[in-house]
Every structure is written in structure tokens, then in C-alpha cells.
Amino acid sequence: MHLLNQIAKVKAPEHLYAKIEQKMCRQKKEVFSSGVSIILGIAAMLLVILNISIATRYEQLPEKSHSLIQMMNLVQDDSIYK
Amino acid sequence: MNFKQIYIDHCDLVYNLCLQYLQNTEDAEEVTQDVFVKVNEAFDKFQHQSKIDTWIYRITINACQDFIRFKNRKKRSVRLLSIFFDQHDTTSEPRHFDHPGVALEQKEKVARLFHQINKLPENQKSAIILNKIEHKSIADIADILEISTKAAESLIQRAKHNLLKFLSANEGKT
């Protein structure tokens, strides 16, 4: 057990600080890219939900109003062309 | 206090503690880097309720224990994979004893001693390293391990007892 008392202290290698800085930079980039991917994922999910809700609303409309113009409550008035 | 100053003041402390824990320069360098990345991230949350040295000791011990657990997990999974596939992964092999603080003529004996220390439970290993190699007082060890001084004292006693038991059993074998 006395051998443990004889273990000398050593100096930390000089290149360590540069490596730590590199690691911190890399982690910052990873955090940024994971943030961007989360935002993009949420945006894609919202688009899908919007798409589904529009499609289901369109499905629920009566047969007659299936045309896009009627769906948008526009009255087709051909008299102006006459 | 900025990060560079913290690094300058504590890099030797962290590196040496990592060496005592892992007994390999490459591993110690890797964990020292992780420790300072964690220190940089958590320094804003540090509430100065304990000394900065104590706080850094705690982070280092946790990082070393995480590293050892990760290595052991990797070893287990490689062993499992090797049953199904005929693979041989050298990255999971135990690192050789490489401690620059140990004199060459004592290297073999100290390596054997560390081999037995590594068999101790995590908290006993921490206590014996802090007490016998880092020369910390019982009060400091209690502070670092976040236990009472009485608990620290009995932890060191148990660690010494177990270590002597391991060593005598080992001598009996040889």
C-alpha cells in the first residue's frame, strides 16, 4: 500500500487545451444542427397536419360543392363575359 | 474567473486524478477533455456552495466512472457479438498500464496493486485514491463524495480492508 504514496504528480500535456477548444466548437455545431433539424421536423409535421385537415374538410363537403371555386364560396357569374 | 484561468489552475489536478482512475495516458487525456467541456457548460450553474476544487473533483470522478462503465458495456456487447460473428475488436481490449507518475522499477508492482484497486466498488475506489494518492483529508473526501465524515472514514477503512484481502488472496495464488 505504501507504493501508492510514491506515485508522482505529472503535468497535463500542453496540447490538451487546443483539443478541448476543438471539442467545445464541435459540440456547439452539433447543438446548432440538432436545433435546426428539430425545427425542420416540426415544420414538416405541421405541413402534414395542415394537409390532412384540408383533405378531410374537402371530403366532408357535399358532392355539389366539390369544385374549388365553390369551395372558396365564389359564385361563378358568366354574365360579365356576355 | 474565465474558462482559460480555470483550466490553467486545475488541468494538472484533473489529469492526475484521471490517471489514478484509469491508469492510461490516452484514456486520461480523453476524460480530462470531457471534464473541462462539462466544467465550461456547467460553470454558470455552479453556485459556489462548495470550493471550486471540490466541484471539479466531483465532476472528474463522475466522468471517470462513466468512462469505465461505457468501456465495460462495450466489452460486454463485443463479447456477445463475437458469439454470433467471428469478430475480433481490438478497441475494447483492456488498456495496458501506462502511468507516467510511476517509477519504472516499481511499475509491475504498482500495476498489480491498481489491478486490485480496480476490483473495489466505485465509492471505495474513489475513497482510497483520494486518501492514499491525492492525500486528501477525511473532511475533504467527505465533501467530494458528498457523504458525512464518519461515512468517509468507514469507507476508507472498508476499502483498505478489502484491498488487503484481495492482495493477500493474490499472494496466496502466486
Side-chain angles (χ1 to χ4, degrees):
Chain A
M1 198 94 85
H2 67 277
L3 285 172
L4 295 176
N5 289 320
Q6 294 168 17
I7 295 173
K9 293 270 181 282
V10 292
K11 284 225 152 267
E14 285 183 6
H15 64 267
L16 263 186
Y17 188 74
K19 279 192 170 179
I20 291 164
E21 277 191 323
Q22 274 176 10
K23 217 171 201 177
M24 289 195 300
C25 266
R26 224 176 20 239
Q27 276 199 341
K28 266 184 204 166
K29 276 182 199 164
E30 276 168 17
V31 168
F32 177 75
S33 59
S34 67
V36 168
S37 56
I38 286 169
I39 289 168
L40 284 175
I42 290 170
M45 235 163 59
L46 283 174
L47 273 174
V48 169
I49 291 166
L50 200 72
N51 200 4
I52 291 167
S53 64
I54 288 172
T56 46
R57 253 184 93 180
Y58 183 72
E59 287 282 313
Q60 283 163 1
L61 285 173
E63 279 284 314
K64 268 202 278 178
S65 56
H66 263 198
S67 87
L68 191 61
I69 295 167
Q70 278 169 333
M71 193 183 140
M72 291 166 80
N73 295 326
L74 292 176
V75 179
Q76 200 171 359
D77 186 6
D78 295 332
S79 61
I80 51 168
Y81 301 113
K82 289 173 186 170
Chain B
M1 194 185 256
N2 66 359
F3 177 68
K4 179 124 198 197
Q5 195 54 49
I6 295 173
Y7 176 79
I8 292 167
D9 293 345
H10 299 93
C11 63
D12 293 339
L13 177 154
V14 172
Y15 182 64
N16 278 287
L17 187 56
C18 289
L19 272 177
Q20 325 303 3
Y21 245 92
L22 308 164
Q23 304 111 42
N24 181 278
T25 46
E26 258 180 71
D27 291 347
E29 281 181 29
E30 202 179 321
V31 178
T32 304
Q33 289 172 38
D34 291 342
V35 168
F36 280 103
V37 170
K38 277 180 196 155
V39 166
N40 183 49
E41 281 171 0
F43 191 67
D44 297 335
K45 291 174 204 156
F46 176 56
Q47 291 167 345
H48 298 273
Q49 282 169 346
S50 56
K51 283 187 279 177
I52 191 160
D53 286 23
T54 308
W55 181 63
I56 291 177
Y57 264 117
R58 257 181 233 154
I59 295 177
T60 310
I61 289 171
N62 286 335
C64 289
Q65 288 174 347
D66 286 346
F67 185 82
I68 292 168
R69 275 183 224 133
F70 170 74
K71 283 247 159 173
N72 290 340
R73 263 203 310 274
K74 204 173 164 192
K75 237 185 276 177
R76 273 198 298 271
S77 59
V78 167
R79 219 175 291 154
L80 197 73
L81 276 174
S82 67
I83 296 171
F84 299 105
F85 309 101
D86 193 23
Q87 274 184 341
H88 187 70
D89 182 12
T90 49
T91 56
S92 65
E93 278 178 1
R95 299 270 201 178
H96 64 282
F97 183 82
D98 173 23
H99 194 314
V102 177
L104 205 63
E105 60 271 19
Q106 289 176 339
K107 203 175 165 182
E108 212 174 304
K109 278 184 189 169
V110 178
R112 246 182 285 149
L113 187 54
F114 269 114
H115 183 69
Q116 302 305 328
I117 290 174
N118 291 338
K119 287 181 186 169
L120 291 172
E122 278 179 352
N123 55 358
Q124 289 184 22
K125 182 180 171 182
S126 303
I128 204 99
I129 287 173
L130 290 170
N131 184 240
K132 287 283 168 194
I133 311 176
E134 295 291 313
H135 308 293
K136 291 277 162 200
S137 67
I138 303 282
D140 283 343
I141 294 170
D143 240 13
I144 293 166
L145 300 180
E146 293 178 286
I147 50 176
S148 66
T149 44
K150 267 196 169 178
E153 236 177 88
S154 77
L155 197 62
I156 293 165
Q157 286 309 319
R158 262 183 290 148
K160 277 185 197 168
H161 175 77
N162 284 337
L163 195 54
L164 288 173
K165 206 165 71 183
F166 288 156
L167 287 170
S168 55
N170 202 41
E171 271 172 25
K173 271 184 205 169
T174 52

